[in-house]
Amino acid sequence: MSLMKKYRTIFTHLTGFGCMVILFASCSNTKNLGPGQNLFVGAKEKIKSTDRLPSSKRKDLQSQMASLVRPEPNASILGVRFKLTVFNMFKEPKKKKGLVYWLKYKVGEPPVLASNSVLEKNRLVLQSHLENEGFFRDSVVMDTSVKNKKLSVTYTALVDTQYRINHVSYPNDSGIIAKNIQQYATGKKYVLLRPNNPYSLDVIKDERTRIDARLKDKGFYYFSPDYLLARTDSTIGNHKVDIDMKLKPETPAMAKLPYYINNVYVFADYDINADTARRKAKLFEGYHIIDPNNKYNPKIFSRTLVFKRGDLYNRTDHNLSLNRLITLGIYKFVKVRFEPARDSVQKLNAFYYLTPTNTKSIRFEVSGLTKSNNATGGEFSANWRHRNLFKGAELLTIAANFGFQTQISSGYNVNTLSYGLEADLYVPRIIAPFRLNTSSAYVPQTKFGASYKFYNRTTLYTLRSIGASYGYIWKDGVKNEHEFTLININAVKPANFTDSFKALIDTNLTVRRSVEKQFIIGSIYNYNYNSQAQANTKRNNFYFNGNIDLSGNLLGLATGANINEGDKKKILGQEFTQYVKLEGDFRHYLRLGKYNSFNTRLDAGVAVAYGNDTLVPFIKEFFAGGVSDLRGFRARTLVGAYYAGNPREKLIYDQPGDVKLLLTAEYRAKLFSILRYALFADAGNVWTLKYDTSRPGSKFYSSQFLNQIAVDAGIGLRADISILIVRLDVAFPLRLPYNLPSGEKYKIDFGDSEWRKNNIVWNLAIGYPF
């Protein structure tokens, strides 16, 4: 039997088996239902209009109606209710534990039964919703259908012309609050209720909330949107309504007056048993600080709090102060209370109750790893934190780590021993001779850093790295963050080369570059935008990370560095590197459902050496392949059209490049319970800017790079256990980037065991790839 006939036979049997499973599942869905019980299989929503209803409005109404119908039917895939089938497979367990109980109630789900009372309630809810949308005196008709103990329902909305707003009036008396409402109601830019707009109860509620927010920013602390009453008159004819927005008669007098800040009390070390006596307060720059143990420098509060004595109360500053206190990182609970001042009219005393988090903490971590380049190992780390080092909310972090890794490939056995120490100090203000424009909603930080790292590749060499940095972190808003490292220093010193490794680097330029002595001194600017940093249900979300990395630029200008004209220039006896590196990572997340999304990514970058260098430092280069890159290729093995060899036959060293391009598309969906699946494809590569004699085909040419794009595809399984996501992706090449005949470039042969060994790549990782 030919291979094609063999596959066809297998496919026929699988198809037949699949049909039998679907038939069994369909029959088993209703077998346990009692007399008079029907399985609810879904609802349809229809719109019948006597007027011309735009198709977009019709679809919108149908979507709104569908979202209101309850309950949701049992989940199905291609019409088969697998979860219900699993539920029906098992008898009721005697105990609420064990495998049977878990399969029946955790993997499976009970049948969703139809109830006449619930269906009628749905009809009334839908009719009420249509009236709230301006379809007055219209109706919803319900029609049910039962077949083989399966019930479906159709709701048909019979609608006429939607009512529109004719005129809107607001309070017009001489009171101060009426004048403020009139001011906010006449501004054309933000008003929600406008003549000729469709009537909507939700919009009326939003307008009340908008007016309340504006009043809160003008001192009306005790006002509430519930004090506004909207009277609607739909009898004026021509499908028009008049809306009269009034203050309710029972609105209290306090709600009609603006209030000012009197005294501000800060309980800096508060807990439920704390003494809240105000007599112990110390006055500092207008703030009454209650801190009996002098745990905090009072300057924290004068820098962080926005309200001052005599300020007009406003909700924006209220929330701003709370947000700034939280972002200090020294408090786990922050609460504020306002009460009328006893000795003053229209004044509020503010009380801030600040509950500290643990000042010191230590965390230990043990991790294991396995990589697609046959490297396995583990790491132990200890992280210590002090959140109030100098009593000014300064954060000091010290991290120590120790790791071991072994890599076995084609007879080579390379062990790597590493350890390191890293310290960072974050000061909650900008320490600089210049001014940075930062958002007042977030406390900016000055960051000082220092690090030491040691690597010992036992059969090859040792490497020491020392780093130091000084810079700033600030935010424009919850979605935007900037990090500007003004001074970034990194010195790398290799040593203890073995004789075999010396012989290798004499013949392999790429390996030699990976262990070159480096002295980097420069600046780095990073900008990050993430629309998902603020929880939302938008269909489209975006992420962007841009990075500018500069080294030796000012030193190059000062020393006149030009390697083409002579020796490399030095600073403090060290040759310094000079380069510019730019990278942008753009991502789009398209929400298709609660658990379904289609996500794309474009990552591009370029690194250019000049002045004092001809090549970019190895540690600043780009790489292609790996668990979050081109998943159908081994980690860091691609560069242009150069073929580094088969990693199953020999040890492949990292292949750096100066230009990077990566495009990824991934569809994500729920499988069941905590399991998710993904279908993905990756395309991209890295290239060098200069010709590399040891890696022919690696150089970037605008006329050739498209033919050197590597493409892969695969499927992934993810376990989402809330605190982390464990990911397993399997991928294979669709298109090889090497200079091969077209037949070899696109070769896919799952029937060939050798092809499978060389091309199917398994990737195990924590978190999503992007």
Side-chain angles (χ1 to χ4, degrees):
M1 183 183 293
S2 69
L3 186 63
M4 184 60 70
K5 287 184 178 179
K6 183 179 179 182
Y7 285 160
R8 188 181 298 129
T9 302
I10 294 173
F11 177 77
T12 302
H13 282 86
L14 288 175
T15 303
F17 177 74
C19 292
M20 291 176 62
V21 170
I22 291 173
L23 182 63
F24 168 76
S26 178
C27 295
S28 67
N29 285 167
T30 58
K31 70 174 185 178
N32 294 329
L33 298 182
Q37 289 185 325
N38 295 306
L39 181 70
F40 180 60
V41 294
K44 291 182 179 179
E45 299 77 25
K46 295 182 178 179
I47 305 289
K48 287 187 178 180
S49 175
T50 59
D51 192 18
R52 279 190 169 183
L53 195 65
S55 60
S56 59
K57 183 63 179 178
R58 184 184 297 272
K59 290 179 181 179
D60 187 38
L61 273 179
Q62 287 178 323
S63 176
Q64 292 175 24
M65 292 172 65
S67 68
L68 295 171
V69 173
R70 298 291 184 273
E72 292 186 5
N74 291 101
S76 64
I77 300 175
L78 299 176
V80 181
R81 301 172 183 86
F82 288 105
K83 289 188 174 183
L84 178 56
T85 301
V86 172
F87 181 88
N88 287 333
M89 286 172 62
F90 301 96
K91 293 182 179 180
E92 189 66 29
K94 295 181 180 180
K95 297 181 179 180
K96 293 184 178 181
K97 59 181 180 179
L99 179 61
V100 173
Y101 179 83
W102 184 84
L103 288 172
K104 187 175 181 70
Y105 286 99
K106 300 300 181 180
V107 177
E109 65 178 10
V112 177
L113 303 179
S115 164
N116 287 330
S117 61
V118 171
L119 299 181
E120 173 61 17
K121 184 178 180 180
N122 280 336
R123 190 190 69 78
L124 296 175
V125 168
L126 295 177
Q127 187 161 317
S128 175
H129 177 73
L130 288 173
E131 291 174 356
N132 292 340
E133 288 297 306
F135 295 96
F136 299 139
R137 291 178 290 278
D138 297 317
S139 62
V140 175
V141 178
M142 178 179 70
D143 181 34
T144 59
S145 173
V146 179
K147 185 177 181 180
N148 298 327
K149 298 185 76 65
K150 296 178 182 178
L151 184 147
S152 61
V153 61
T154 301
Y155 294 102
T156 304
L158 306 174
V159 301
D160 197 358
T161 304
Q162 186 179 19
Y163 279 65
R164 293 182 174 272
I165 297 172
N166 179 60
H167 176 72
V168 184
S169 58
Y170 294 88
N172 56 4
D173 56 64
S174 59
I176 185 171
I177 192 168
K179 291 180 180 179
N180 275 274
I181 292 174
Q182 278 287 338
Q183 178 186 347
Y184 307 143
T186 55
K188 294 182 179 180
K189 187 174 181 181
Y190 300 108
V191 172
L192 301 179
L193 297 176
R194 301 173 183 271
N196 208 39
N197 277 7
Y199 172 90
S200 171
L201 180 61
D202 287 338
V203 175
I204 291 175
K205 292 179 179 178
D206 290 342
E207 177 70 350
R208 294 197 317 169
T209 302
R210 185 190 69 85
I211 291 173
D212 172 67
R214 299 298 296 271
L215 290 172
K216 288 289 199 303
D217 276 347
K218 289 295 182 179
F220 293 89
Y221 175 76
Y222 291 101
F223 192 79
S224 165
D226 291 334
Y227 296 150
L228 285 171
L229 176 65
R231 297 183 181 275
T232 303
D233 183 4
S234 61
T235 64
I236 62 176
N238 200 25
H239 294 92
K240 296 278 189 177
V241 296
D242 285 341
I243 299 175
D244 184 18
M245 192 82 75
K246 287 185 173 293
L247 284 174
K248 291 181 179 179
E250 61 269 26
T251 302
M254 292 177 69
K256 299 178 182 180
L257 297 172
Y259 279 75
Y260 295 82
I261 301 300
N262 187 43
N263 292 324
V264 179
Y265 296 90
V266 180
F267 294 90
D269 192 11
Y270 176 79
D271 64 44
I272 196 169
N273 299 314
D275 184 358
T276 57
R278 304 179 199 175
R279 64 180 182 276
K280 295 183 179 180
K282 296 179 181 179
L283 189 63
F284 179 81
E285 296 185 3
Y287 295 97
H288 298 267
I289 312 297
I290 297 92
D291 184 13
N293 299 317
N294 295 319
K295 192 173 181 178
Y296 302 100
N297 187 329
K299 287 184 179 180
I300 297 176
F301 310 109
S302 61
R303 293 191 187 115
T304 306
L305 295 175
V306 181
F307 281 136
K308 290 182 173 57
R309 182 182 176 90
D311 288 350
L312 179 68
Y313 170 85
N314 76 80
R315 178 59 59 84
T316 299
D317 287 350
H318 175 152
N319 293 331
L320 191 61
S321 293
L322 293 177
N323 192 69
R324 288 171 63 88
L325 286 167
I326 291 169
T327 57
L328 282 175
I330 56 175
Y331 293 112
K332 60 180 176 181
F333 300 118
V334 172
K335 184 176 72 172
V336 62
R337 178 174 63 86
F338 293 89
E339 66 176 34
R342 296 178 182 177
D343 54 352
S344 303
V345 180
Q346 290 180 238
K347 288 191 176 181
L348 297 169
N349 287 330
F351 300 87
Y352 287 91
Y353 301 96
L354 313 179
T355 304
T357 188
N358 293 329
T359 302
K360 300 174 185 178
S361 64
I362 188 167
R363 184 178 77 250
F364 298 97
E365 295 180 359
V366 178
S367 61
L369 64 88
T370 179
K371 298 181 179 179
S372 57
N373 61 357
N374 294 327
T376 58
E379 183 179 74
F380 170 80
S381 63
N383 298 271
W384 182 81
R385 285 179 167 233
H386 193 303
R387 294 180 176 86
N388 192 35
L389 188 63
F390 304 119
K391 296 187 176 183
E394 300 87 0
L395 170 65
L396 174 65
T397 66
I398 299 176
N401 63 79
F402 174 83
F404 178 80
Q405 188 179 126
T406 183
Q407 182 179 8
I408 302 174
S409 180
S410 306
Y412 290 89
N413 188 347
V414 180
N415 297 323
T416 302
L417 180 71
S418 64
Y419 59 84
L421 188 66
E422 186 171 355
D424 291 306
L425 175 64
Y426 299 85
V427 181
R429 63 184 184 278
I430 298 297
I431 303 175
F434 51 84
R435 184 178 181 83
L436 281 175
N437 291 323
T438 66
S439 170
S440 57
Y442 300 88
V443 177
Q445 295 177 314
T446 299
K447 178 184 176 183
F448 302 89
S451 64
Y452 173 81
K453 297 176 183 178
F454 174 82
Y455 300 89
N456 182 7
R457 304 200 76 176
T458 54
T459 59
L460 303 174
Y461 59 88
T462 61
L463 199 70
R464 288 179 172 83
S465 172
I466 299 175
S469 64
Y470 161 64
Y472 314 102
I473 302 171
W474 73 96
K475 301 185 75 168
D476 293 334
V478 67
K479 302 175 185 178
N480 302 276
E481 183 174 86
H482 306 260
E483 182 168 359
F484 177 37
T485 305
L486 184 63
I487 299 174
N488 179 59
I489 300 173
N490 190 18
V492 179
K493 184 179 181 180
N496 302 320
F497 291 169
T498 63
D499 292 338
S500 59
F501 189 66
K502 288 179 181 178
L504 176 64
I505 63 177
D506 286 339
T507 58
N508 192 316
L509 176 62
T510 305
V511 178
R512 186 195 315 162
R513 287 188 56 207
S514 68
V515 292
E516 283 181 337
K517 193 175 183 180
Q518 303 286 351
F519 182 61
I520 299 172
I521 179 167
S523 302
I524 302 174
Y525 171 73
N526 180 269
Y527 169 74
N528 184 274
Y529 172 83
N530 185 4
S531 65
Q532 296 184 96
Q534 189 171 35
N536 67 78
T537 57
K538 293 180 180 178
R539 182 174 171 82
N540 293 283
N541 275 287
F542 301 92
Y543 171 95
F544 174 75
N545 186 274
N547 199 73
I548 303 173
D549 187 349
L550 309 174
S551 176
N553 304 92
L554 295 178
L555 290 176
L557 287 174
T559 60
N562 188 342
I563 196 170
N564 296 322
E565 295 181 357
D567 296 334
K568 293 183 71 170
K569 301 296 183 180
K570 296 182 179 181
I571 181 75
L572 301 176
Q574 297 287 331
E575 296 177 348
F576 62 88
T577 61
Q578 193 170 358
Y579 65 87
V580 175
K581 180 182 179 182
L582 308 175
E583 185 175 12
D585 184 355
F586 177 79
R587 307 171 188 179
H588 175 227
Y589 301 92
L590 177 63
R591 190 192 306 271
L592 301 175
K594 186 176 181 180
Y595 298 105
N596 303 59
S597 63
F598 182 72
N599 313 296
T600 52
R601 177 189 187 190
L602 170 62
D603 186 6
V606 60
V608 182
Y610 70 102
N612 212 39
D613 261 309
T614 57
L615 296 173
V616 176
F618 191 86
I619 59 174
K620 295 293 183 177
E621 293 270 43
F622 299 106
F623 299 90
V627 295
S628 297
D629 201 85
L630 288 157
R631 285 165 279 182
F633 297 87
R634 265 64 177 187
R636 298 188 167 204
T637 57
L638 296 180
V639 58
Y642 173 67
Y643 179 61
N646 188 336
R648 294 180 60 245
E649 298 175 355
K650 70 173 186 176
L651 183 64
I652 304 298
Y653 293 95
D654 293 349
Q655 302 297 318
D658 306 314
V659 179
K660 180 180 179 69
L661 180 64
L662 173 67
L663 298 98
T664 296
E666 182 168 287
Y667 172 74
R668 299 170 187 164
K670 182 176 181 178
L671 195 58
F672 62 85
S673 186
I674 63 171
L675 290 181
R676 312 285 189 265
Y677 73 91
L679 304 174
F680 60 84
D682 310 310
N685 209 332
V686 298
W687 296 265
T688 60
L689 285 176
K690 296 183 178 181
Y691 183 75
D692 186 342
T693 55
S694 65
R695 297 185 295 167
S698 64
K699 188 177 185 302
F700 178 87
Y701 292 98
S702 59
S703 60
Q704 298 178 12
F705 83 96
L706 289 177
N707 195 45
Q708 298 168 356
I709 295 290
V711 183
D712 66 53
I715 186 169
L717 187 67
R718 290 87 192 271
D720 185 349
I721 51 179
S722 70
I723 59 172
L724 61 85
I725 293 171
V726 180
R727 169 168 59 96
L728 176 64
D729 291 336
V730 58
F732 60 92
L734 293 178
R735 182 179 191 264
L736 299 173
Y738 319 123
N739 292 326
L740 298 169
S742 58
E744 294 292 320
K745 206 173 183 70
Y746 297 91
K747 182 181 179 181
I748 300 174
D749 190 355
F750 289 105
D752 185 343
S753 62
E754 192 65 22
W755 182 92
R756 293 197 304 271
K757 290 178 182 178
N758 291 332
N759 292 278
I760 295 180
V761 181
W762 297 84
N763 300 280
L764 180 64
I766 301 296
Y768 287 114
F770 65 96

